[in-house]
Amino acid sequence: LWTDRGPHLVDLDDCQTGPVVHDFWMLLDSDLAQRQRQLDSLLEGYEQFAEFPWTQLQLVAALRSQRMVEYAAWIARRWEDPAFPRLFPWFAEGRFWDEHIQALNEQTMLLQAGRHL
């Protein structure tokens, strides 16, 4: 992706196999207002080349929730590897888990409210 500040590389590992929105949501900021602006820009750029499947927007909160759980599980499964405590020291801290649970609760509220961002 090109912006006024230059190129931004994007790993499109699910390109052609997953929903289009899967590659978009991972690029979005955690701040809601910024996230909406970023999504609007991505959608505008995407639609210059192809029609965006708008119904996929409803998948964003579920995909983000899934990623959050899977990422923590990936680290947990490998915690006995000596490299993991060195690379992810925050994973063993209570603060991480407090914030992780809070973020998952926020995702749950989004899902229950039927919101995508």
Side-chain angles (χ1 to χ4, degrees):
L1 300 174
W2 285 91
T3 69
D4 294 338
R5 290 182 259 155
H8 293 266
L9 302 177
V10 180
D11 176 13
L12 301 173
D13 62 344
D14 293 307
C15 183
Q16 302 284 326
T17 61
V20 170
V21 78
H22 185 62
D23 289 316
F24 283 14
W25 75 265
M26 293 180 76
L27 300 171
L28 304 177
D29 196 275
S30 60
D31 175 70
L32 180 60
Q34 180 68 8
R35 191 165 57 220
Q36 187 62 57
R37 285 189 296 274
Q38 291 169 333
L39 181 61
D40 291 344
S41 293
L42 284 168
L43 294 173
E44 180 182 338
Y46 186 89
E47 289 221 312
Q48 291 179 17
F49 300 97
E51 184 177 338
F52 181 79
W54 291 92
T55 57
Q56 288 185 11
L57 285 179
Q58 65 191 2
L59 300 174
V60 172
L63 289 168
R64 185 182 303 111
S65 300
Q66 178 184 9
R67 172 70 176 216
M68 292 167 66
V69 170
E70 287 181 355
Y71 184 64
W74 176 76
I75 296 171
R77 284 191 302 269
R78 289 157 180 83
W79 194 249
E80 296 304 316
D81 180 329
F84 275 70
R86 285 193 314 270
L87 293 171
F88 306 100
W90 45 263
F91 189 76
E93 297 173 5
R95 180 178 174 188
F96 164 75
W97 290 102
D98 290 343
E99 292 172 1
H100 187 64
I101 290 168
Q102 180 182 349
L104 288 172
N105 284 333
E106 290 170 5
Q107 289 302 120
T108 299
M109 290 188 307
L110 285 174
L111 289 164
Q112 289 173 339
R115 295 188 50 210
H116 63 274
L117 292 178

